[in-house]
Amino acid sequence: MAIGHACVDVYQGAVPALVPFLVAERGLGYVAVSGITLAATLLSSVVQPVFGVLTDRRPLAWLIPVAMTTAGLGIALVGVGETYLLNWLAAALSGLGIAAYHPEAARMARTVSGGSHVGMSWFSVGGNVGFALAPVLVTPIMAVGGLSLTPLLVVPALVGAVITRLAVRSARLVAGGNRLDRAGSDDWPSFLRLSAIMICRSIVFVGLGTFIALYAGQRVGGGTTTGGVALFVLFAAGALGTLLGGRFATRYGRVRTMRTSYAVAVPAIACLVFVPGPAFFGFLALTAIAMSIPFSLHVTLGQDFLPGRVGTAGGMTLGLAVSIGGVATPVLGTIAEHTSLRVALSPLIALVLTGCLMGFALNEPATE
């Protein structure tokens, strides 16, 4: 399941990896490229909770490989269309596939791992690995043949669909079809507070993912190659942070771990935006680790706050509250158009601080 998660989230990471090439080949501005990110995330944000509700009613395991293939097909078509509208629609198709994948995949990962924090962190880190591999996959291919080679990017989806199909079949045998929905009352106030925290994180992480490649080129030089390195650092360090999150949560508790990590992220992102020189990559790695430690914890916290609706919780935590950051990227793009990327990225510091402070309004679920 973790490998399958990596294969599908390659396509979430592929969108920011394509941004420098869309700027170079199509002459798109900051607002236009942030619109592509919006296309990939907005539909996913809206639809993913719907798929979550559906998975609470009946198992939809067959949807996992189908959704993965759809996500890959959308990204494969981004470079095929010559008009901005076709690029936008292709990105939206990919977002639809991503939306359909996550709720049922999160439920199955929870079942197979027995609800373990560490197990869910491994499933979540699969997504981080996919993000990290996206620039490694996309940047060299685009550097050689440009956007006309985006159809090659469907390959991970096809491979992942085969692996995931086998995993789904094995999971049914191992888990015996059991579902870990628990009896108990749903704590919607706590879940909504958690969702607000995740929205802050989403805006920060999606904003960085969209613009960090361009910002790295401005700060360090090197053009698209430097941008690819910056994206790899962002997503690879994020994968490390996600793994650490499961370990820290087991030892110190989820809410305490979440509060501490966001507290560390505040000065880290401030230094990333304002401190000059080669330390840029160090602060980028620290920011990514601190922002990613709570990622898998959000999922298990959400499922425990809504013990009778783990599909809905999975759809919200991995969908609406995660990908909704794409809705804010056109705002950041507009600010950058009229000022600079540094000014546009500065509000992200306040968002991390807001998420940190809201963490003190949460307590561990009673089911722990």
Side-chain angles (χ1 to χ4, degrees), residues 53-66:
V53 172
L54 293 176
T55 62
D56 282 328
R57 295 179 178 177
R58 63 169 60 186
L60 296 173
W62 59 268
L63 185 61
I64 298 176
V66 172

Side-chain angles (χ1 to χ4, degrees), residues 22-48:
L22 289 168
V23 172
E25 291 190 31
R26 302 285 166 82
L28 302 183
Y30 293 137
V31 174
V33 294
S34 61
I36 297 293
T37 301
L38 175 64
T41 56
L42 179 59
L43 187 61
S44 179
S45 299
V46 173
V47 174
Q48 202 155 171

